[in-house]
Amino acid sequence: MTALNRKLIRDLVHLRGQMIAISLVVACGVAVFVTTRTAYDSLLISQATYYADYRFADVFATLKRAPEAVAARIAAIAGVGVVRTRVIFDVTLDVPGLAEPATGRLLSIPERHVPMLNDLYLRRGRYIEPGRRDEVLVGEAFAAANHLDVGDSLGAVLNGRWQRLRVVGIVLCPEYVYEIRGSDIFPDNKRFGVMWMSRDAMGPAFDMDGAFNDVVLSLAPGAREADVIAQLDRILEPYGGLGAYGRRDQISHKFLSDEIAQNRISGTILPAIFLGVAAFLINIVLSRLVGMQRDQIAVLKAFGYKHYVVAWHYFEFALAAILAGATLGTGVGLWLGALINRMYVQFYRFPILRYEAGATVIVLAVAIAGGAGLLGALAAVRRALALPPAEAMRPESPPRFRSGLLDHIVLRRLPSPLRMIARNLVRRPARAALSVLGIAFAVAILIVGRYFVDAIQYIADVQFRLVQRDAVTVTFHDPLPLRARYDLNRLPGVLRAEPFRTVPVRLRFEQRSHLTALIGLEPTTQLHQLIDHDLRQLLVPPAGVLLTTKLAEILGAARGDRLTVEVLEGERRMRTVTVAGTVDELVGLSAYMDLRALSRLVRDSGVASGAFLAVEPAAATNLYAELKRMPAVGGVAIREVALRSFEDTLARSMGIFTTVLIGFASVIAIAMVYNSTRVALSERGRELASLRVLGFTRREVAVMLLGEQGLLTFVAIPIGFVLGYQICAAVAYQYQWELFRLPLFVSDQTYAFALLTIVAAAVTSSLVVRRRLDRLDLVEVLKTRE
């Protein structure tokens, strides 16, 4: 073993506390990178494989009714590969053991299985048999949530007629990897499910013999999606086409793609923060180590060691901490990645969800960590090489001190320990600033760690307690006259019924367009409130349209702009409407109008697509029983159920990641504070020992060292609050999806958590350092450097 290697081992042992702190920070960064990257790769590869094997469609279109002969015209469109026409209807279900009415989406399939677009993977059971018109295949998510299995049965209202359906198979479909209806934000697998039924059974049941109301296409290689969609819309327009859209806007695919994109962002921003902190720590430790070992560096150079040899010696010091942290972080990251992969099985229904933990991810993680560490060490190494041997052999000159106004007015009146603390900070402002910045980063990381919890809770409070104030939302199969509200008012437990109208439209502004629905509300609506950025209620304007902020951003429209509205039902007229303002909803993309203004826009006599209901809780069970038997009711959504689904979904999907992130943030905070205190002891050990010899007590010496660290921590905390808020703002900016947006909201509890964690870390570090301080060998420390 060479002399430099022996020196390296001695230094690592002597500074083991700081090295462990740096290794833990590196481990956190590597673990987050490996976890999110493996989750990203696993979802991406599983998605691509499933879509290819089961022929997921490229283009989707819904319409009122078209004869089957239209399919040949669609197939003749240039660029179209395969065409599949279907019959799709939502029906009310009576599920055994479920008090509330459920909604089932029935999709038609051939009586004999043939390869088709959006093909089915049979998990268990069998395919439907010809002539058995009561047989259905049920999606796995709905079956699992309601404990349904092959041979079970459930009731359904099919076009006003009650029918018993028998489950013969449990299946998966690439169209419903994320089993959710388009109007929901998060899945409620207990009350919404997808079922597949014979086309020969669904045709007569829904008056769709020889007709279809849904079509999916695959595109030929090289085809332009936009051109195909434009031609498809022209063909389907006479048949009540509601606007074709590509795979990108298909609801299940959108949720899955957003999750993949979220992993990509999380695997970039958070590891960058952690590894940046690690580089900062390495720079501080090595810079101060160089300062303490300047005489040793001079001796090495005097004995003929080359510059690159000395440089590599200190790089090895950094690499030792980095490799230890990278090894630990890789192991933790692989374990967490497998844990998250198992969690994904609860949400995303793949035949096989592959766990991809390739060597490329591990090598990349170690390389990034090593690069960050070496970058942090670079400045310190350059400083070591710049020292001429003769200069370095002399002790470092003490900083110059000149008595100033602050010293005359303030410092001289302080007790000696406090005066020495203040003077040390004044003489070394750069060093104090670096310590403050390091602790501020620790505070900031703690705030970022809890930010996701705050954002999710904020969405739940705003969307489900402020915006949606109804207990039950009822939608009709077909629009009904507004007087239907009085029939709803007579139902058991209904205290108030507010009708609403939804009209499918394509909004256009300049060259941009978006498929959505215009929602008509009563001007005096109480059960669905519209709010602005400051959570103040907005009134529905008598004219014009209110857009959600995200929809206005997508269209590039602002207050006062004129939108072109292409109505996708009835006479399908083109209208123009003025943007009256924006509403700050965090979920979905919506456009709101006055209910009567919307009726004038589409030129109908005033109808409702559904109603918001305020319900007496004690009568809810009787109400649900009535709604199950109402043929006109197409769907029922319960606000408390939706809120529980929202919280449960995010608790499971983000709970593991958020918990881990908070844990990592706490580790980094403790490491930063301990490192700052421990380095201060290494730097000032000789000075503090001298004070002990001069008669200062252990307590007074401890106050000088730990009091300085306490003051730096006190200054760093508010800076960390500001820094953490700004990082949260950057994260929130990245999480602005069409389906939901993370708000920039940091709670008082998060600031309190960060404060208490830093204070606890500071107190614990102080106790450890105080113990070492009390055990200083005064003779050893005071030996003259030769």
Side-chain angles (χ1 to χ4, degrees):
M1 181 180 292
T2 66
L4 283 182
N5 286 337
R6 287 195 296 271
K7 176 181 178 298
L8 176 63
I9 293 172
R10 286 197 302 270
D11 288 341
L12 289 173
V13 171
H14 178 65
L15 298 175
R16 57 188 177 276
Q18 291 97 307
M19 291 299 98
I20 291 173
I22 294 171
S23 295
L24 288 176
V25 175
V26 171
C28 292
V30 170
V32 171
F33 179 83
V34 172
T35 300
T36 53
R37 188 70 191 192
T38 53
Y40 170 79
D41 290 343
S42 298
L43 281 180
L44 196 63
I45 294 173
S46 298
Q47 178 194 50
T49 303
Y50 189 24
Y51 284 4
D53 291 349
Y54 288 84
R55 295 169 287 280
F56 186 38
D58 296 306
V59 176
F60 305 77
T62 301
L63 55 145
K64 288 292 185 181
R65 190 179 192 278
E68 192 62 37
V70 175
R73 295 173 55 195
I74 296 173
I77 296 174
V80 170
V82 178
V83 177
R84 178 190 169 197
T85 60
R86 307 182 294 184
V87 175
I88 297 180
F89 280 96
D90 285 355
V91 299
T92 301
L93 300 177
D94 184 9
V95 180
L98 184 64
E100 306 93 341
T103 300
R105 178 161 297 163
L106 280 178
L107 291 84
S108 68
I109 51 175
E111 284 199 336
R112 287 182 172 82
H113 183 251
V114 294
M116 58 185 175
L117 292 180
N118 299 342
D119 210 345
L120 302 178
Y121 172 84
L122 189 64
R123 183 73 88 181
R124 59 184 181 273
R126 61 171 174 82
Y127 196 76
I128 59 174
E129 292 184 351
R132 302 287 184 89
R133 298 195 170 187
D134 63 338
E135 292 185 350
V136 293
L137 305 174
V138 177
E140 185 181 53
F142 182 67
N146 289 286
H147 309 290
L148 295 174
D149 208 341
V150 175
D152 292 340
S153 62
L154 61 163
V157 180
L158 274 61
N159 201 20
R161 295 183 293 273
W162 178 263
Q163 183 171 336
R164 179 66 58 180
L165 303 177
R166 190 159 58 92
V167 180
V168 298
I170 308 297
V171 297
L172 303 175
C173 179
E175 189 176 5
Y176 291 96
V177 173
Y178 197 68
E179 200 165 310
I180 185 172
R181 56 185 160 188
S183 58
D184 289 344
I185 308 160
F186 288 95
D188 180 9
N189 297 133
K190 202 171 183 65
R191 295 163 188 83
F192 173 78
V194 185
M195 300 181 294
W196 288 262
M197 191 178 188
S198 164
R199 178 78 174 261
D200 292 343
M202 286 190 66
F206 292 97
D207 302 322
M208 297 292 286
D209 263 340
F212 64 92
N213 67 349
D214 191 271
V215 61
V216 292
L217 321 173
S218 67
L219 298 178
R224 292 188 70 249
E225 181 185 277
D227 294 341
V228 172
I229 288 176
Q231 294 183 63
L232 180 61
D233 282 341
R234 282 195 291 270
I235 292 174
L236 297 181
E237 183 175 341
Y239 305 102
L242 300 180
Y245 54 91
R247 180 187 291 182
R248 175 184 172 275
D249 295 316
Q250 199 268 339
I251 187 69
S252 171
H253 176 77
K254 186 185 287 287
F255 267 95
L256 183 56
S257 297
D258 283 354
E259 181 68 30
I260 292 172
Q262 175 182 317
N263 284 332
R264 187 176 64 247
I265 293 171
S266 300
T268 303
I269 295 177
L270 298 178
I273 295 173
F274 290 172
L275 294 177
V277 170
F280 180 77
L281 276 177
I282 289 172
N283 179 264
I284 290 177
V285 172
L286 285 185
S287 294
R288 296 184 176 181
L289 182 64
V290 168
M292 291 186 294
Q293 294 188 353
R294 53 187 284 128
D295 53 346
Q296 299 177 29
I297 295 171
V299 170
L300 290 174
K301 289 184 177 181
F303 275 93
Y305 282 90
K306 302 294 184 183
H307 280 198
Y308 72 87
V309 175
V310 177
W312 179 245
H313 170 70
Y314 286 97
F315 275 132
E316 283 182 318
F317 189 90
L319 286 174
I322 293 167
L323 291 177
T327 302
L328 175 62
T330 299
V332 173
L334 292 175
W335 174 72
L336 288 174
L339 194 66
I340 289 177
N341 195 67
R342 289 197 295 272
M343 180 267 295
Y344 279 152
V345 174
Q346 303 174 36
F347 299 101
Y348 304 112
R349 301 289 168 168
F350 293 97
I352 299 175
L353 182 55
R354 300 171 57 182
Y355 177 52
E356 294 293 326
T360 303
V361 173
I362 298 173
V363 171
L364 187 59
V366 174
I368 293 173
L374 293 179
L375 184 64
L378 184 61
V381 170
R382 290 178 61 185
R383 183 181 173 188
L385 297 178
L387 290 173
E391 175 65 24
M393 286 183 181
R394 292 194 295 267
E396 188 175 5
S397 301
R400 292 184 179 181
F401 173 72
R402 292 178 181 174
S403 173
L405 186 63
L406 180 65
D407 189 74
H408 286 291
I409 297 177
V410 179
L411 300 187
R412 289 187 177 181
R413 303 181 181 213
L414 296 176
S416 296
L418 295 182
R419 186 160 64 248
M420 295 183 71
I421 291 173
R423 283 177 173 169
N424 190 60
L425 294 176
V426 171
R427 293 172 187 174
R428 295 181 173 88
R431 185 170 297 179
L434 287 175
S435 297
V436 167
L437 185 60
I439 299 171
F441 266 118
V443 176
I445 290 173
L446 286 168
I447 291 172
V448 174
R450 276 188 53 93
Y451 162 68
F452 292 98
V453 177
D454 290 340
I456 292 166
Q457 189 59 53
Y458 184 88
I459 293 174
D461 290 340
V462 172
Q463 188 65 29
F464 295 102
R465 296 187 176 95
L466 186 59
V467 175
Q468 296 176 224
R469 301 169 65 88
D470 60 310
V472 176
T473 301
V474 175
T475 55
F476 305 136
H477 280 298
D478 297 300
L480 298 177
L482 289 176
R483 63 177 178 274
R485 68 186 301 175
Y486 303 113
D487 295 328
L488 293 172
N489 271 322
R490 288 192 287 270
L491 292 176
V494 174
L495 304 174
R496 179 183 175 88
E498 292 181 358
F500 64 86
R501 175 84 159 101
T502 59
V503 177
V505 296
R506 179 180 277 110
L507 299 180
R508 302 180 188 275
F509 181 69
E510 296 177 348
Q511 77 276 14
R512 294 173 289 274
S513 68
H514 191 81
L515 279 173
T516 186
L518 277 177
I519 302 174
L521 302 175
E522 290 191 318
T524 56
T525 179
Q526 298 178 18
L527 301 181
H528 190 96
Q529 292 190 354
L530 306 180
I531 58 172
D532 63 10
H533 181 71
D534 298 318
L535 304 184
R536 295 174 299 195
Q537 184 178 359
L538 297 173
L539 298 177
V540 182
V545 62
L546 291 173
L547 305 177
T548 54
T549 306
K550 185 64 177 179
L551 180 56
E553 177 188 322
I554 291 172
L555 293 172
R559 184 186 182 95
D561 289 333
R562 301 279 293 176
L563 301 180
T564 300
V565 180
E566 181 185 352
V567 180
L568 300 177
E569 68 175 27
E571 299 179 0
R572 304 178 67 90
R573 295 178 180 270
M574 302 288 286
R575 298 282 189 265
T576 58
V577 64
T578 303
V579 178
T582 59
V583 295
D584 202 53
E585 291 186 5
L586 297 170
V587 177
L589 303 174
S590 302
Y592 296 98
M593 288 188 70
D594 179 274
L595 183 59
R596 289 168 180 77
L598 181 56
S599 294
R600 292 192 298 270
L601 184 77
V602 299
R603 295 187 178 179
D604 63 28
S605 57
V607 294
S609 304
F612 305 116
L613 307 181
V615 178
E616 185 179 352
T621 302
N622 294 331
L623 173 64
Y624 300 150
E626 288 286 338
L627 292 174
K628 286 181 181 180
R629 294 193 295 267
M630 294 180 68
V633 173
V636 177
I638 302 166
R639 182 174 64 95
E640 285 302 320
V641 169
L643 176 58
R644 286 199 303 271
S645 175
F646 176 88
E647 292 177 337
D648 291 347
T649 299
L650 286 179
R652 284 186 292 165
S653 64
M654 299 190 71
I656 296 175
F657 181 73
T658 302
T659 301
V660 169
L661 187 60
I662 292 173
F664 285 170
S666 301
V667 168
I668 291 174
I670 294 169
M672 290 289 289
V673 175
Y674 173 77
N675 185 79
S676 178
T677 308
R678 186 64 182 84
V679 167
L681 175 59
S682 298
E683 287 181 333
R684 301 183 62 190
R686 182 180 178 83
E687 174 187 334
L688 298 174
S690 300
L691 294 174
R692 285 287 312 283
V693 171
L694 292 174
F696 282 80
T697 65
R698 290 180 177 178
R699 181 177 178 277
E700 289 175 323
V701 170
V703 167
M704 292 180 197
L705 177 64
L706 302 180
E708 178 180 329
Q709 297 306 307
L711 180 60
L712 293 175
T713 302
F714 178 77
V715 173
I717 287 173
I719 297 174
F721 285 170
V722 174
L723 189 59
Y725 186 84
Q726 294 303 319
I727 296 175
C728 289
V731 172
Y733 178 78
Q734 296 294 328
Y735 280 77
Q736 297 296 304
W737 315 120
E738 292 184 13
L739 296 172
F740 73 96
R741 278 79 63 190
L742 285 186
L744 179 55
F745 174 74
V746 181
S747 69
D748 293 341
Q749 290 83 353
T750 291
Y751 288 118
F753 169 77
L755 175 63
L756 292 176
T757 302
I758 288 296
V759 170
V763 171
T764 303
S765 301
S766 298
L767 292 175
V768 172
V769 171
R770 170 67 187 267
R771 186 171 172 225
R772 294 183 67 92
L773 190 60
D774 289 346
R775 296 166 60 188
L776 276 179
D777 187 334
L778 302 184
V779 176
E780 182 68 25
V781 173
L782 290 173
K783 283 182 179 179
T784 304
R785 297 174 184 173
E786 294 293 347

